[in-house]
Every structure is written in C-alpha cells, then in structure tokens.
Amino acid sequence: MRGFLASSIGVTCAAALALPLTPPALAATARPVPAAEAARPAPHAGTPATTPTDRRAAEPSAAGSTQSLPLEPLTRDRATPSAPATEQGLPRRAVRHFSLVGVVWDDPDAELHGCVQVRTRAADTGTWSGWQDVETHNADHAADLDTAERASGRVRGATAPLWVGDSDGVELRVRPESDGSAADSAGHTSGARNLPAAPPLPSGLRLELVDPGEDDDAAPGAGEGRRAANALNGAVTEASAVNADLSPLGATEIAALSRAETEQEYLALDAGGLTEQQRRAKPYVGPRPGIVTRRGWGANEGLRESGFRYTKKVKAAFVHHTASGNNYRCSQVPSLIRSIYRYHVKSMGWRDIGYNFLIDKCGKIYEGRAGGVAKPVLGAHTLGFNSNSMGIAVLGSYGSHKPSKSAVKAVARLTAWKLGLYRVNPKGKTYLTSAGSNLHRKGKKVRLNVISGHRDGFKTECPGRKLYGKLGSVRSKSARYQGR
C-alpha cells in the first residue's frame, strides 16, 4: 500500500550533517526580519509553498499562531565542493515568537527519507541551541485511510513536532539519506561514483513554527482573543457538555473519585449497555483518576472541526510517545499540548488533536480529542487501528530516555478506569480488525494485548524502547487497580 513506512526507525543526523550547511559568515549573525515578513501569517493549506499568502484568517496573538516558511535549497561549505547540493533548509533568521517546530510537505503518502535538524534562539537570553534532531517518521500517527478525516484533502505529510520553548530565531537543515554511509561503515571503498543516489525529498517542504498562545488566566485580558475564537458555533459548550455526566459544565478538571464513587458512576454511565447480570456483578473498574479537560489546558475550540466522531466501543489502548523531546517543565504542559493540537490541525490538516489522552512526566492526565473522556471517541493515533481503541500519548521521547514512574503509573490508572467502563481486562488479549497498516493488511483480524504499544499495530519505534519495556508493568498495575 503506497505511503506505508517500511520502517519507522529514526535516523541519527548528527554524523551525517556534521559539516555546516550555511556559509560561515551567514551562520555568525541572525538576519533581521522585515516587519512585513514577521507579521505574515502562514500560507493556506492549498497554496504552493513558494506563495506567501495567508493560510487562514489572522488570529489574535493570544489565541496562538503558526508561521509557515517554505524551505530553500542549501549549498555545502566551499571546502567540500564534492558534497551533493541536495539539502534544503533555512539559514539563520529572526522570526516571531514560537515554541514548537515541525516540517510538513504536500503529499501525506510521501515519506521523508533523511535527516531533519533545527537550532533555535531562546527569546529570553538570545542564546542559540545546538542542533536538535526532529523525528521524521510520523505517518504512523494518523487517521485510518478509509475515513473522512484522511480523505478531507487537507492532510499533509509531517515530521513529529519538537518542543523548543519560547524562541525567536531559527535555522533548519534537511538532508536526504543515502545508502552510502552504510556502505562506508561496512568497509567498502568502491568510490562515491558507485554509491546509490539519495531518494528525493518530498515536494512542498515547509517549516512550521507554532506559538501556543497565552493561558486564559495568564494576565488580565490575555485570553480575550481565544475566548472570542472559542465562542465560534458554541464550540466550548459543545466540548464541555459531552463530559456533563462527570463534571460541571465549563470545568477545567474532572475530579478523581474513590473506588465506591467510581462503581456508582459505572452503573450510571452504562457504557456499551449492561445486562442485568452485569449490573448485579461486582464491576472491575479502576478508580477514576483526575483528568484536566480541554478547557483546563486552554484548547481553542475554534480550531477543530465541529461535532464528534465515535467508534463502537473501547477494546484496547495503544500507548505512544509524542517524540517531541523531554525538555519541558510540567508547568509548560498546557502550552505544549496547545502547540501539538495546533500542529495536528493547522499544519497536518487533521480534524482535532490525534490522541485521546496525553500524560506528562509528572503523571498528570489530560483530555485529548474532543468528544467525552468516557466515550469511545475515534482518534487519529494508530494508523490501521483507530476503531474500537483509544490512544494515550506520554509527552516526551522515550527511545533512550526512561519514562518517569509517575507517567507509567498514570497510564495504568487511566487504562484501569477507561477499559473498566467497557468491561475489559487490561491483562487480556483482544481482536481488532486492521484498516490497513505496514504490519497487517486491511480486513485482517489481529490478536493484540489489550494494552499495546503503537509498534504492535504498525512497524514503528513508537512508543520508544524504554516506554515499550514498561507496558508489562502497566498491564499488571492496571489490572490491580481494577481489583483483579
């Protein structure tokens, strides 16, 4: 099936891109940005990358914004004239404030085979960071191919987002991978002329610089722009009302419950329909954990599509990492989630944020895609297996970095509650029908762990080796929370 990744193992760019891709004189100073360019919004989704027209109507700065910058061809240093001039990127430049970066391209089925590196300038100190790798393999987090969300015509290919904190300068370099490095490491010295050509980069490459906007309560009047945007079509009320059985309208957090209170709620919610025998039996459901609502993390409900999409039930939970880096403070998480939300919707063309829930390294749980935390909301998290499942993303990158104990515990607590509502044993197995992935053909019934890692449904590194290794513990803890 065209566009499926043969592998989603990330490429380490540091060695391949060790030489500077910008002339030394240019790299030494930041290029001032004219006022007109600095104020320019991102191009429209259907606009060619070279056309500096608006992507959308201008939004108040308090509501967040996205700068979309078309990439340029880059040349190698004059000291290495034999190096291929196939790189694209952006020389150092000053830009409007942003906190998260990603690269997008026109065709969602095209893959970026290569290295993406970025460096940014901290807004408070003016200090430039070192080069940071951006995870290029991200197509495995997506709506299923036969859904309206995937077929909307707005979806683009994209890297994973990278959180960099409040920044006002950027430099980017993108280089296609070549099999030559593998040949060299094997000891072959047949000469550069015999090396295979690097695969071309996707067309329409653009750097997305995302400003998450201000918290509503950050300062007097700071949230007026987003509050105005939130009034669109009563979207705020709509997003809050679907949780009305769990919390008051407009609540910023759904409070944790005791086991007894949760068992009463379980009967009241009657998720999926209970038989009389099931209503009399002791429920295996974990105590409801506290969950920060979309209003709690400041979702601009005017960004997403109106209405909600549901699947039939929740039979499985897929655990992910966001691959957005670990350099965030827990106090920054609302801004981080707003940035990912905006990147998913405005840059990648999805109807809403892809994950059903997000968890930070301090163990706090956040509502993701709108539709109700107790309901079977159809997400865009595990290409091929979004139906009858939920996606839980731990914020960070966990290939070589261990997840915190708090985050692992939160995954167990959340799955014990949500799977319990649908009478599912976290330590059990289940069958899901594949909608098509690079591991399982469309229509195949696949036997999976009820709590699975993303890589169990799609050939990918997600949720990272270190987090994937914790899933056995998560299953056991989740079952204990259910009283099994």
CSV table of all heavy atoms in Angstrom, one decimal, residues 43 124 131 182 188 237 241 261 263 374 396 468:
chain,number,residue,atom,x,y,z
A,43,PRO,N,0.9,30.3,4.9
A,43,PRO,CA,0.2,30.1,3.7
A,43,PRO,C,-1.0,29.2,3.9
A,43,PRO,O,-1.0,28.4,4.8
A,43,PRO,CB,1.2,29.6,2.7
A,43,PRO,CG,2.4,29.3,3.5
A,43,PRO,CD,2.3,29.8,4.8
A,124,ASP,N,14.5,34.7,25.7
A,124,ASP,CA,14.8,35.4,26.9
A,124,ASP,C,16.3,35.7,27.0
A,124,ASP,O,16.7,36.7,27.6
A,124,ASP,CB,14.3,34.7,28.2
A,124,ASP,CG,14.9,33.2,28.3
A,124,ASP,OD1,15.4,32.7,27.3
A,124,ASP,OD2,14.7,32.6,29.3
A,131,TRP,N,22.4,21.8,17.5
A,131,TRP,CA,21.5,21.2,16.5
A,131,TRP,C,20.7,20.1,17.2
A,131,TRP,O,21.2,19.3,18.0
A,131,TRP,CB,22.2,20.6,15.4
A,131,TRP,CG,22.8,21.6,14.4
A,131,TRP,CD1,24.1,22.0,14.3
A,131,TRP,CD2,22.1,22.4,13.5
A,131,TRP,NE1,24.3,23.0,13.3
A,131,TRP,CE2,23.0,23.2,12.8
A,131,TRP,CE3,20.8,22.4,13.1
A,131,TRP,CZ2,22.7,24.1,11.8
A,131,TRP,CZ3,20.4,23.3,12.1
A,131,TRP,CH2,21.3,24.1,11.4
A,182,ALA,N,26.0,3.5,4.9
A,182,ALA,CA,26.0,2.1,5.3
A,182,ALA,C,27.2,1.4,4.6
A,182,ALA,O,27.8,0.5,5.2
A,182,ALA,CB,24.7,1.5,5.0
A,188,HIS,N,33.5,-0.9,2.6
A,188,HIS,CA,33.6,-0.9,1.1
A,188,HIS,C,34.1,0.4,0.7
A,188,HIS,O,33.7,1.5,1.1
A,188,HIS,CB,32.2,-1.2,0.5
A,188,HIS,CG,31.7,-2.5,0.9
A,188,HIS,ND1,32.2,-3.7,0.6
A,188,HIS,CD2,30.5,-2.8,1.6
A,188,HIS,CE1,31.5,-4.7,1.1
A,188,HIS,NE2,30.5,-4.2,1.7
A,237,THR,N,-18.9,25.2,24.7
A,237,THR,CA,-20.0,24.5,25.4
A,237,THR,C,-20.2,23.1,24.8
A,237,THR,O,-20.4,22.1,25.6
A,237,THR,CB,-21.4,25.3,25.1
A,237,THR,OG1,-21.2,26.6,25.7
A,237,THR,CG2,-22.5,24.5,25.8
A,241,ALA,N,-19.9,20.0,27.3
A,241,ALA,CA,-21.2,19.3,27.5
A,241,ALA,C,-21.1,17.8,27.4
A,241,ALA,O,-21.8,17.0,28.1
A,241,ALA,CB,-22.3,19.8,26.6
A,261,GLU,N,-17.2,5.5,44.6
A,261,GLU,CA,-17.9,6.5,43.8
A,261,GLU,C,-17.8,6.1,42.3
A,261,GLU,O,-18.7,6.3,41.5
A,261,GLU,CB,-17.2,7.9,44.0
A,261,GLU,CG,-17.5,8.5,45.4
A,261,GLU,CD,-16.6,9.7,45.7
A,261,GLU,OE1,-15.4,9.7,45.1
A,261,GLU,OE2,-17.0,10.6,46.4
A,263,GLU,N,-17.6,3.1,41.1
A,263,GLU,CA,-18.5,2.0,40.8
A,263,GLU,C,-20.0,2.5,40.6
A,263,GLU,O,-20.7,2.0,39.8
A,263,GLU,CB,-18.5,0.9,42.0
A,263,GLU,CG,-17.2,0.2,42.0
A,263,GLU,CD,-17.0,-0.8,43.1
A,263,GLU,OE1,-18.0,-0.8,44.0
A,263,GLU,OE2,-16.0,-1.5,43.2
A,374,ALA,N,-15.2,9.6,28.7
A,374,ALA,CA,-15.7,8.3,29.0
A,374,ALA,C,-16.3,7.6,27.7
A,374,ALA,O,-16.7,6.5,27.8
A,374,ALA,CB,-16.8,8.4,30.1
A,396,GLY,N,6.9,13.4,25.4
A,396,GLY,CA,8.3,13.2,25.5
A,396,GLY,C,8.8,12.2,24.5
A,396,GLY,O,8.1,11.7,23.6
A,468,TYR,N,8.1,1.3,25.9
A,468,TYR,CA,7.5,0.0,25.5
A,468,TYR,C,7.9,-1.1,26.5
A,468,TYR,O,7.1,-2.0,26.8
A,468,TYR,CB,8.0,-0.4,24.1
A,468,TYR,CG,7.3,-1.6,23.5
A,468,TYR,CD1,6.1,-1.5,23.0
A,468,TYR,CD2,8.0,-2.9,23.5
A,468,TYR,CE1,5.4,-2.6,22.4
A,468,TYR,CE2,7.3,-4.0,23.0
A,468,TYR,CZ,6.1,-3.9,22.5
A,468,TYR,OH,5.5,-5.0,21.9
